[in-house]
Amino acid sequence: SVSMVRGMLAVPYFEKGLYEANEADLTPEFLQKLADDVELKIQGRLSARPLLSVPHILADESSAYYHGYVLAEMSVHQTREYFKKVLKGDIVDNKEVGKQLTEVYWRPGNSSMFLDLVEKLTGSPLKADAWVKELNTPTEDMVKEEAEEYKKALVKGPAIAPGSEVDLKMRVLLVHGDEVIADSKEAGLAKACGKFRQWVEEKFPRNAAAS
């Protein structure tokens, strides 16, 4: 996770250095050195995915854009921490989560600023505290916490029983190229999924994979 964060941060730091440079200095050698310097400073080593291979940097429509991924990831951790606190940790299959996300995050669309949406939902300006807290959590504690959550989920069971019908208020087509394998409009989603499962088992039998 730490490596992922450093990899994400390296891109906007490279762009910052690029746009702050004098135009006369923008030579291939300068760009390569800048990329290497940023990787060494932010990631601690030359990256397995070189900065200059990141497509966002090379296209004008996505330039100065990558930092949005960092902010989005930061908001995910802050939002998750908020829900776990107010809902006492019970956030999976909790309708209140979807309700609040819909009303506060999704419904406003572009009528509200991203930072304002996060603060309105969580009650706090966007900050890295929740993300940093997770990154600092020892692996043993993380494994223990997730194991406990997994056991609770097994006891609680799925919100929708396997094989039962559910109305998603949409038509689902399960296809393979031009072949329509199953259509929820014909007999419902559960039967469509069953038909798809049967198709997969016939096309890709387990014994064939093992051999």
Side-chain angles (χ1 to χ4, degrees):
S1 295
V2 174
S3 296
M4 180 197 74
V5 175
R6 289 178 178 272
M8 293 174 67
L9 288 171
V11 179
Y13 270 101
F14 170 79
E15 289 187 312
K16 181 176 184 293
L18 175 63
Y19 298 135
E20 289 177 346
N22 294 321
E23 188 170 353
D25 295 331
L26 298 180
T27 63
E29 294 76 19
F30 172 85
L31 295 177
Q32 184 62 65
K33 184 178 185 304
L34 175 62
D36 289 347
D37 289 346
V38 170
E39 289 178 11
L40 291 171
K41 180 179 179 180
I42 303 298
Q43 299 178 258
R45 62 182 184 278
L46 294 178
S47 176
R49 181 197 67 168
L51 273 172
L52 293 177
S53 71
V54 178
H56 300 70
I57 298 173
L58 308 177
D60 59 349
E61 67 268 17
S62 56
S63 60
Y65 180 89
Y66 207 88
H67 66 282
Y69 295 132
V70 180
L71 296 176
E73 186 71 19
M74 193 183 300
S75 71
V76 167
H77 290 277
Q78 183 166 322
T79 302
R80 179 179 173 83
E81 183 182 63
Y82 160 76
F83 278 128
K84 293 189 74 172
K85 180 179 180 180
V86 299
L87 300 177
K88 311 301 181 184
D90 186 18
I91 63 175
V92 177
D93 292 330
N94 191 320
K95 293 183 179 180
E96 187 62 27
V97 173
K99 178 182 178 182
Q100 291 194 39
L101 288 177
T102 300
E103 293 299 324
V104 182
Y105 277 0
W106 302 331
R107 196 178 301 282
N110 288 330
S111 66
S112 298
M113 299 294 288
F114 165 69
L115 296 179
D116 294 336
L117 294 175
V118 176
E119 184 170 3
K120 182 178 180 180
L121 178 63
T122 66
S124 173
L126 180 63
K127 50 190 177 182
D129 294 16
W131 199 359
V132 172
K133 179 182 178 182
E134 180 174 319
L135 292 172
N136 284 326
T137 302
T139 302
E140 296 78 9
D141 295 346
M142 183 72 71
V143 171
K144 181 180 179 181
E145 179 183 347
E146 293 187 357
E148 290 175 352
E149 292 180 355
Y150 179 70
K151 290 177 182 178
K152 290 180 182 178
L154 287 178
V155 173
K156 184 178 179 180
I160 301 173
S164 61
E165 194 54 67
V166 56
D167 182 13
L168 298 179
K169 301 186 185 303
M170 62 186 292
R171 181 184 182 186
V172 178
L173 288 170
L174 300 168
V175 303
H176 177 63
D178 294 331
E179 177 187 359
V180 177
I181 302 168
D183 184 349
S184 66
K185 186 178 180 180
E186 296 178 354
L189 182 60
K191 290 186 177 179
C193 290
K195 189 175 181 181
F196 177 70
R197 184 183 300 109
Q198 182 181 359
W199 181 90
V200 171
E201 291 173 348
E202 292 175 353
K203 292 289 184 179
F204 308 99
R206 295 181 181 181
N207 57 351
S211 60

